[in-house]
Amino acid sequence: QDGLKQCLAEFRQQLTWVERLDVTLGPVTDPVSQSASTSDAVDPENDFQREMSFYRQAQAAVLEALPRLRKLRVPTRRPDDYFAEMAKSDQQMQKIRQKLKSKQEAMERSEKAKQLRAMRKYGKKVQVEILQKRQKEKKNMLNAVKKYQKGLSDKLDFLDEDQASSQGNKKGNASQRTKKGPNAKRRYKNQKFGFGGKKKGSKWNTKESFNDVSSFQSKVAHNKGPGKGGRGGKGGKKALNKRPGKRARQKMKNRAR
């Protein structure tokens, strides 16, 4: 003990506390038990109790040292523009970033594939349900027709139902077509530049144009007009530049030989 005290006196330096920053305290009060946990109460074999004792002791040292440092005007917080060198290099961080990015892309691809598979399954399910419904309706129709043919039934309600369903589909499609209309972009352009009129189907006949025969000329239509070579026309002579027939051309070739 005397030797230890002598060594301590040799290397002890009489410096101020701000140069030493040594704080020796016991642990703070435990908020659960409302009592200071002493070293006798801590089981050294229990890892949790031992680590909590160290944590409480460090907490007590901070609570004691911070007010003294503030009183001495010693900064205790790191400035906002403090630059600290990373433990890992930029190349290593770039590799980690690329790996994380590749993992994220793989997860997105997997999620998209799952969604596509689910959509395909749902589409097949809807298609099978529609086919089953149509087959059922067809079967019911055939059974009703057979009953009517055999004289077991004198009702033709199945024909009325079929016509009503077809008309309902047509009405639904027509209402969808009428409700659709031009989009907002098309309406803005029509308002800005004007609507040039309907282009597609502009030369189609209508009911009024079909019934209107005021511009019809029978002589022109039946090749009887002036200068025409029809049977009843004035131009009875054939045109001079008309090409002779095949047989006439063959005879002319034979004569030339």
Side-chain angles (χ1 to χ4, degrees), residues 167-181:
Q167 288 178 1
N169 292 333
K170 288 180 181 178
K171 287 180 180 178
N173 295 334
S175 63
Q176 289 177 0
R177 286 196 297 270
T178 54
K179 286 181 180 178
K180 190 175 179 182

Side-chain angles (χ1 to χ4, degrees), residues 33-165:
S33 60
Q34 296 296 330
S35 63
S37 57
T38 60
S39 59
D40 299 335
V42 178
D43 185 8
E45 300 298 331
N46 191 335
D47 295 340
F48 180 75
Q49 288 185 6
R50 187 173 66 252
E51 294 298 329
M52 283 301 296
S53 176
F54 294 155
Y55 173 75
R56 299 285 181 196
Q57 190 172 3
Q59 212 173 14
V62 170
L63 294 173
E64 175 69 20
L66 272 178
R68 293 172 67 179
L69 289 171
R70 287 171 184 166
K71 189 175 181 180
L72 295 171
R73 297 183 179 180
V74 177
T76 58
R77 296 188 64 180
R78 182 179 296 173
D80 296 335
D81 57 348
Y82 179 78
F83 179 76
E85 188 177 355
M86 298 280 292
K88 295 184 179 180
S89 62
D90 293 341
Q91 295 178 354
Q92 183 70 16
M93 294 303 296
Q94 191 70 20
K95 289 181 181 178
I96 294 172
R97 192 179 293 109
Q98 290 177 359
K99 192 171 183 180
L100 291 174
K101 188 177 179 182
S102 62
K103 283 185 178 180
Q104 186 178 2
E105 290 176 353
M107 290 175 64
E108 289 178 357
R109 286 197 297 269
S110 175
E111 191 67 25
K112 286 183 180 179
K114 286 181 182 179
Q115 291 179 359
L116 287 174
R117 285 196 294 270
M119 289 174 67
R120 288 196 192 101
K121 287 182 181 179
Y122 180 72
K124 287 181 180 179
K125 183 179 178 182
V126 172
Q127 189 176 7
V128 168
E129 289 178 355
I130 291 173
L131 290 175
Q132 289 178 353
K133 185 179 178 182
R134 288 179 181 174
Q135 289 176 358
K136 186 177 179 181
E137 291 176 355
K138 186 177 180 182
K139 187 177 180 181
N140 295 335
M141 173 77 74
L142 292 175
N143 291 335
V145 171
K146 286 180 181 179
K147 286 182 181 179
Y148 182 76
Q149 288 176 349
K150 291 179 181 180
L152 299 176
S153 176
D154 56 348
K155 296 181 180 179
L156 297 175
D157 298 338
F158 55 90
L159 295 177
D160 297 337
E161 292 177 0
D162 189 15
Q163 291 177 0
S165 62

Side-chain angles (χ1 to χ4, degrees), residues 11-49:
F11 67 79
R12 177 180 289 173
Q13 296 179 359
Q14 299 296 330
L15 299 175
T16 58
W17 178 82
V18 72
E19 298 291 339
R20 292 181 285 112
L21 296 177
D22 55 342
V23 179
T24 306
L25 292 171
V28 295
T29 305
D30 190 359
V32 178
S33 60
Q34 296 296 330
S35 63
S37 57
T38 60
S39 59
D40 299 335
V42 178
D43 185 8
E45 300 298 331
N46 191 335
D47 295 340
F48 180 75
Q49 288 185 6

